[in-house]
Amino acid sequence: MAKMISGSDAVLKVIRQWGVKHIYGYPGGSFDSTMNAIYNQRKELEFIQVRHEEAGALAATADAKLTGKIGVCFGSAGPGAIHLLNGLYDAKHDHVPVLAIIAQVPSTRMNLDFFQAMDEEPAFEDVSVWNKTAMTAESLPRMIDEAIRQAYKHHGPATVTIPKDFGWAKIPDTFVPNVANHVKAHYVVDQDLLAKAGKLIKDAKAPMIYFGIGAKDAAEELKRVSEKYKMPLVSSVLAKGILDEKYPAYLGSAGRVAPKPGAEIGFSTDLIVWVGTDVPFSIFLFNPNAKVIQIDTDPEKMGKRHHIDVPLLCDAKTALAALADVADEKAPSAFYDAALADKQNWLDWQNSFNDSEEMPVRPEPIFDVINQMASSKAVFGVDVGNVNINFERLLMIHDDQKWCTSGQYATMGYGLPAAISAKVNYPDRDVYSLSGDGGFAMLMEEILTQVKYHMHIINVVFSNECLGYIVAEQLDDSHQPLSGVDLPETDWATVAKGMGAMAFTVRTKAEFQAAMVEAQQTDLPVVIDVKLTHEMPLSTNHMFLDKETQDPKLVDEYVEKYQAQALKPFSYFLKAAKEAHGEEIDAFSGASAASVEDEADNQPIADTTTGASEDAPEPADTDATSGASQH
C-alpha cells in the first residue's frame, strides 16, 4: 500500500527534487497547510521570511538571474498573492524562470465572497507563462512539476493556485517528477549561412559585436571572434560582466545608461554580429544601413529589432566558435583603433574624478572605493534609476563578480531583495545592495530580513533627495517643469540602526572608505548613507562634443555642464585613425545619435518611457533596459 503524504508536503517534495534549496514568502491563514509542510521539511528546504511578498518575488527572480535556476516564492490568498505581481512581472520582462505558489481559500469557500477570497487565476494570467488552479489534491505534485518545466521552457513565471484544504488532504506519495529529462537543447550551425556570414566579415571595414545575456556562457568565444577579426565589443546593459571590464576591445554597454564609447560606436559600424539580445528601439543604437549577422536560439527574435542579412539559429557558444574559424584573420581597421582610443579617453576622463573633493560628493570617488575593496567574488544587487547609470559606467566588474538588476521592467526597490538572494545563494561571498534613496525607501523594511537571518550585506544608499532619473527625463526629454520628483531629506543611518543594523552617514570619499573598513569587520547588516551630489550623470542620450558637426553653443554648454573638457567625440578618433590608415573619411565618420535617428525615422514617435511624443526620441537602453525609476 502506497505511503500517504499531505498535498502540501507533496508540493514541496517536487520542488526539492528539482534542486530548489529555499523558498521566499510571508505566511497567511490560507497558506497554513503549506507552512506546516515547510516546517516538516525544514531540514531540506530553507524558508526565508521576507517582510513583504513583493520582496519575496523579487528575490526569487534574482535567484534565477544569479544562478540560472528557478526561484520560488509564495503569497497567501488575496492581498498576499497580489503583492507578488511586481516581482513576477520583473521575471516575465527579463525572461527568467520563477515558480509562484498562490494560496487560495478552502475549495468549499471559493466563489462565495469569503474572507480574502478572490478569483486569483485571472489576476495572474497576463504575467504567467503557465497559470493554473488545482482542482484536486491528487493533481498537486504533477501540476508543480509541469509548472517548473513550463517556467524553464518559456523563461518566465509559472503560477499554481492551491486551495487551503487541498494542502491538508492526504494523497499517495507515488509521483516521480520529470527532472531527469530536463536537458539543454543541442544546436548545429547551418554551414551555408555560416559561409555567407564569413563573406560579410571578410568584406566589412568597420565590424563590431553586439551581445546580450544570451552570450553569458560564451565569453571566450566572444574574445576569439573579436581578436581574430578585430571587432570591438558592445553589450546590452544586462550583459555587463560577461567580459572583464578591462578587456581592451570591450567598450561597455549601449544606450542611455551606457558609457560613452558603447553609446556612440554603433553609428559608424557597417557590420554587426548581433548575439543573444532582443533590443527594442535598436534603430536608435546602430547605423540603420549596417549589415547584421544575428545569433539567437529563438526564431521569433530573428529580424525583430533590426533588418538582418544572415540568421544563425544557434546558441552563442556554438555559433561564435564556428564564426571564429570561417574567415581569415583581419588586421586592425581604423574603426577598431578608434574604438580602443575612444575607450581610453573615456576611462581617463572618468578616473580624473576619482579623488574629487567636490561637495556633495560625486559618484566616482564612492565607486572607486567599492572597486578597490569589493572582492573578486563580490555580488551586487542593483536598484534602478541613476544608480543604474553609475553602476554601468563606474563599477569595474571582473573575475567572478556577479550582479543583477530589474532590467526591462525597471522596478524600484529591487536592490535589497536582490542582495538577500545573493547572500542566500552565495553565503561566503561579500554582497552589496546599491540603491538610490527613492528605491531604497520602497522596500527598505527588508533590512529587517537581513537582521533576522544574520545576513552580512553592505547596503549603500545614494541619497540625492530626488528621483534623479525622472528629473533628467522631465528636463531633457519632455521639457516640462519638475513635478513630483523631490524627496525628503532622511537620516537613513538612524532608521537602519533602529532595525538592528550597523549604519553610517558619509559625505566624503575618506568617510566612505572608513565606513567600508568597519563594515567588513562586522557580521551585522550594514547601511551606508552616502549624501550624494544632485548633479546628473553625463547624458549619453544626446552628446554634444563635436563642434565640426554640431552647434558650437550646444557643445560649449554640454562640456561646461558635465566638466567634459577632456572628452572627445568618437568621430575625432575615427578621423585620426583613418588618416593614419590612409582611409577615406566618409559621412558616418562624424555621425551622431541624433543624425542617425533623423535618417532612420523623422516622424514623431511615442516615448514609451515618459509618455511624451517627440520629434527626436531617445535612444533606449539595451534589452529594453532603461533603468528608469518607475513602477
Side-chain angles (χ1 to χ4, degrees), residues 123-143:
F124 290 88
E125 186 61 29
D126 179 66
V127 75
S128 304
V129 298
W130 195 83
N131 175 36
K132 305 293 181 183
T133 300
M135 304 305 291
T136 66
E138 288 75 13
S139 67
L140 285 174
R142 185 173 298 277
M143 289 183 69

Side-chain angles (χ1 to χ4, degrees), residues 105-230:
V105 300
S107 60
T108 55
R109 295 290 181 265
M110 290 172 63
N111 304 317
L112 294 176
D113 197 24
F114 193 63
F115 176 70
Q116 289 191 325
M118 58 173 287
D119 194 357
E120 290 171 337
E121 191 172 314
F124 290 88
E125 186 61 29
D126 179 66
V127 75
S128 304
V129 298
W130 195 83
N131 175 36
K132 305 293 181 183
T133 300
M135 304 305 291
T136 66
E138 288 75 13
S139 67
L140 285 174
R142 185 173 298 277
M143 289 183 69
I144 294 297
D145 184 61
E146 183 67 17
I148 293 173
R149 295 198 302 130
Q150 293 289 335
Y152 274 123
K153 175 184 177 181
H154 296 291
H155 309 288
T159 51
V160 179
T161 301
I162 303 176
K164 179 178 179 178
D165 53 326
F166 291 175
W168 288 115
K170 296 294 183 179
I171 63 174
D173 185 16
T174 57
F175 182 74
V176 178
N178 205 31
V179 179
N181 297 321
H182 182 65
V183 295
K184 290 185 177 180
H186 177 71
Y187 296 90
V188 178
V189 181
D190 185 298
Q191 293 300 309
D192 291 338
L193 291 174
L194 183 64
K196 289 179 64 177
K199 186 176 187 310
L200 288 181
I201 291 172
K202 177 183 176 181
D203 294 342
K205 294 181 178 179
M208 66 173 286
I209 299 170
Y210 181 71
F211 66 94
I213 199 69
K216 63 181 179 297
D217 298 321
E220 292 306 312
E221 289 76 16
L222 285 169
K223 290 189 282 189
R224 279 184 60 200
V225 173
S226 170
E227 290 167 8
K228 184 170 183 179
Y229 305 128
K230 307 305 182 290

Side-chain angles (χ1 to χ4, degrees), residues 300-595:
E300 186 270 335
K301 298 293 192 301
M302 294 297 181
K304 181 178 179 180
R305 305 301 188 188
H306 196 293
H307 80 268
I308 60 173
D309 299 272
V310 179
L312 294 178
L313 188 64
C314 192
D315 65 283
K317 192 176 186 70
T318 302
L320 288 168
L323 272 182
D325 296 327
V326 77
D328 294 332
E329 185 168 353
K330 300 182 73 165
S333 64
F335 176 76
Y336 181 80
D337 288 345
L340 270 60
D342 193 26
K343 176 181 178 178
Q344 190 58 54
N345 175 242
W346 169 256
L347 291 177
D348 290 344
W349 177 78
Q350 265 194 168
N351 292 339
S352 71
F353 297 104
N354 283 351
D355 293 317
S356 169
E357 296 182 355
E358 289 182 40
M359 295 291 291
V361 67
R362 293 176 62 104
E364 293 91 347
I366 302 303
F367 277 88
D368 184 46
V369 172
I370 296 173
N371 283 327
Q372 292 177 36
M373 299 188 69
S375 80
S376 61
K377 291 183 173 293
V379 190
F380 302 91
V382 184
D383 221 302
V384 299
N386 279 354
V387 68
N388 260 161
I389 298 177
N390 290 325
F391 178 84
E392 282 292 321
R393 299 176 185 181
L394 301 173
L395 202 292
M396 304 302 287
I397 290 285
H398 60 88
D399 295 305
D400 195 27
Q401 291 181 337
K402 297 177 181 292
W403 75 285
C404 66
T405 191
S406 178
Q408 188 184 47
Y409 195 54
T411 181
M412 293 175 69
Y414 185 85
L416 266 67
I420 289 170
S421 163
K423 201 63 181 178
V424 170
N425 285 290
Y426 306 103
D428 298 325
R429 296 193 182 205
D430 49 326
V431 173
Y432 305 81
S433 77
L434 307 177
S435 308
D437 44 353
F440 184 76
M442 290 219 166
L443 287 173
M444 61 89 59
E445 74 279 355
E446 296 308 319
I447 295 295
L448 291 170
T449 303
Q450 297 180 17
V451 170
K452 177 181 175 70
Y453 293 102
H454 310 290
M455 295 178 175
H456 176 49
I457 296 171
I458 299 176
N459 304 276
V460 182
V461 187
F462 295 93
S463 298
N464 64 355
E465 299 169 24
C466 69
L467 299 175
Y469 198 98
I470 306 305
V471 168
E473 288 183 339
Q474 291 186 0
L475 291 178
D476 299 337
D477 297 348
S478 50
H479 308 292
Q480 67 187 77
L482 291 180
S483 177
V485 294
D486 57 308
L487 299 175
E489 180 181 0
T490 305
D491 184 353
W492 294 115
T494 296
V495 175
K497 287 176 183 177
M499 292 182 167
M502 177 182 284
F504 306 88
T505 300
V506 303
R507 291 177 172 81
T508 67
K509 180 178 183 177
E511 290 177 354
F512 182 71
Q513 194 160 21
M516 284 283 284
V517 169
E518 287 197 53
Q520 292 180 341
Q521 295 173 351
T522 182
D523 293 330
L524 294 171
V526 177
V527 172
I528 305 177
D529 183 7
V530 180
K531 300 306 184 183
L532 194 72
T533 179
H534 293 199
E535 297 299 320
M536 294 294 109
L538 179 139
S539 172
T540 57
N541 184 12
H542 290 292
M543 288 178 282
F544 296 95
L545 294 169
D546 190 350
K547 289 187 176 181
E548 292 186 18
T549 60
Q550 296 171 315
D551 184 341
K553 182 180 178 182
L554 292 177
V555 173
D556 288 339
E557 291 174 353
Y558 186 89
V559 166
E560 181 180 1
K561 178 178 180 180
Y562 295 111
Q563 301 180 43
Q565 289 81 4
L567 279 182
K568 304 292 185 184
F570 178 67
S571 60
Y572 171 88
F573 299 104
L574 186 57
K575 289 176 183 178
K578 286 192 172 187
E579 288 176 359
H581 283 253
E583 294 184 18
E584 180 182 354
I585 298 175
D586 54 30
F588 264 108
S589 297
S592 66
S595 65

